[in-house]
């Protein structure tokens, strides 16, 4: 009996070690997100995270543009300004329906988190990690050629795309995994760069007041913008929770 018990103990150790490694990884991801939020709201931290702020805007505006295409509109251009704000211009025939208007507005708010969660999920396996970096690199460069019409976008997005492709083909596995997870975290927490935007009817863009995305949803679906801001916040929390849970499931 003594030998059998010892054998069971030894079989338990690898599983315990994997759980401990997963827990450390989750703590690291949460810590990276917390540090990023602090940097975004510090006097000079925004400069350190500037490329990722532009990436978050790209995720946001691509969410608008792709959703618009899904509802039959033409995605004309994507513009990113030096301060990190931007817009996606899409044109459709006739007056847009209420559902499509709300869905297109919500897609921009949820887009960065969806992309971030997909990247975190991709970090589960070596092939998925490499594939995620290739897909992101190609998307960044390809979308710039097709839709981006601003100097800031042309300066930052292709450079980020080239870095992703370089890591995918030449980076070590641990570097690829960390990069995918870090980019995923940046996508998931990017809404906290300007969290108040969710709970306002409008904001400033290039010195002009523009209606917020939750304001557009309110306009389409009647309920107040703060209700939609709260609902989207809850959806983001649920998505991030399950992404982390699935990514570290054994």
């Amino acid at each position: 009996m003594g030998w059998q018990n010892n054998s069971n103990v030894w079989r338990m150790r690898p599983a315990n070690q994997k759980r401990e490694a997963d827990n450390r990884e989750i703590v690291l991801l949460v810590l990276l997100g917390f540090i990023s939020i602090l940097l975004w709201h510090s006097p000079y931290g925004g400069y350190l995270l500037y490329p990722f702020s532009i990436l978050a805007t790209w995720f946001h505006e691509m969410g608008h543009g792709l959703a618009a295409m899904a509802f039959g509109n033409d995605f004309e251009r994507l513009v990113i300004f030096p301060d990190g704000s931007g817009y996606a211009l899409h044109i459709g025939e006739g007056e847009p329906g209420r559902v499509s208007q709300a869905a297109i507005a919500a897609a921009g708010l949820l887009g960065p988190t969806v992309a971030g969660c997909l990247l975190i999920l991709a970090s589960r396996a070596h092939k998925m990690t490499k594939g995620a970096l290739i897909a992101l690199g190609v998307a960044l460069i390809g979308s710039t050629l097709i839709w981006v019409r601003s100097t800031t976008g042309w300066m930052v997005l292709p450079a980020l795309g080239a870095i992703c492709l370089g890591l995918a083909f030449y980076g070590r596995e641990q570097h690829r995994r960390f990069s995918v997870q870090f980019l995923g975290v940046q996508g998931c927490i990017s809404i906290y760069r300007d969290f108040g935007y969710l709970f306002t009817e409008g904001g400033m863009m290039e010195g002009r007041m523009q209606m917020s995305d939750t304001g557009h949803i309110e306009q389409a679906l009647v309920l107040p913008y703060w209700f939609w801001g709260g609902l989207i916040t809850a959806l983001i929390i649920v998505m991030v929770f399950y992404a982390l849970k699935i990514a570290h499931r054994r």
Side-chain angles (χ1 to χ4, degrees), residues 3-245:
W3 171 259
Q4 185 177 3
N5 289 337
N6 289 337
S7 178
N8 288 336
V9 170
W10 281 108
R11 281 197 291 268
M12 288 293 291
R13 284 183 179 176
N16 290 335
Q17 289 172 351
K18 287 180 180 179
R19 280 195 293 269
E20 290 175 1
D22 287 345
N23 290 336
R24 287 196 298 269
E25 195 167 85
I26 291 174
V27 170
L28 176 61
L29 292 176
V30 173
L31 183 61
L32 286 173
F34 182 70
I35 292 173
S36 296
I37 292 171
L38 290 179
L39 285 174
W40 264 326
H41 293 89
S42 65
Y44 302 104
Y47 294 106
L48 294 174
L49 294 177
Y50 185 72
F52 304 108
S53 297
I54 301 302
L55 180 65
T57 302
W58 178 78
F59 281 137
H60 180 101
E61 302 304 340
M62 284 296 293
H64 286 315
L66 294 177
M69 291 176 64
F71 282 98
N73 298 324
D74 293 326
F75 185 8
E76 291 290 325
R77 69 173 67 102
L78 191 160
V79 175
I80 300 177
F81 299 112
D83 65 357
S85 62
Y87 68 87
L89 177 63
H90 51 88
I91 300 173
E93 295 182 1
E95 189 71 20
R98 290 179 177 272
V99 173
S100 64
Q101 181 181 341
I104 292 169
L109 296 171
L110 294 171
T113 301
V114 170
C117 289
L118 289 175
L119 288 170
I120 290 174
L121 291 172
S123 68
R124 293 185 67 190
H126 301 328
K127 290 183 179 180
M128 292 175 64
T129 301
K130 182 176 181 179
L133 285 169
I134 293 173
L136 181 57
V138 170
L140 284 164
I141 295 172
S143 65
T144 301
L145 294 173
I146 298 170
W147 292 301
V148 175
R149 298 294 181 268
S150 62
T151 302
T152 301
W154 273 88
M155 289 178 62
V156 178
L157 298 177
L160 289 174
I163 291 171
C164 289
L165 293 175
L167 284 168
F169 291 108
Y170 303 107
R172 295 182 177 181
E173 175 53 35
Q174 61 267 34
H175 295 158
R176 291 201 297 263
R177 181 177 172 84
F178 175 80
S179 298
V180 166
Q181 290 180 335
F182 181 77
L183 290 171
V185 167
Q186 293 301 310
C188 288
I189 57 95
S190 63
I191 193 68
Y192 292 100
R193 183 165 57 102
D194 188 14
F195 188 66
Y197 178 73
L198 274 171
F199 298 95
T200 59
E201 287 189 283
M204 298 299 294
M205 186 176 71
E206 287 291 282
R208 294 182 298 174
M209 181 63 68
Q210 301 288 335
M211 183 178 292
S212 69
D213 291 326
T214 48
H216 281 293
I217 300 174
E218 176 188 40
Q219 189 179 61
L221 301 180
V222 181
L223 291 173
Y225 65 87
W226 52 262
F227 170 83
W228 299 110
L231 179 60
I232 288 170
T233 300
L235 287 173
I236 289 172
I237 292 171
V238 170
M239 284 192 293
V240 173
F241 172 80
Y242 279 102
L244 290 172
K245 182 177 180 180

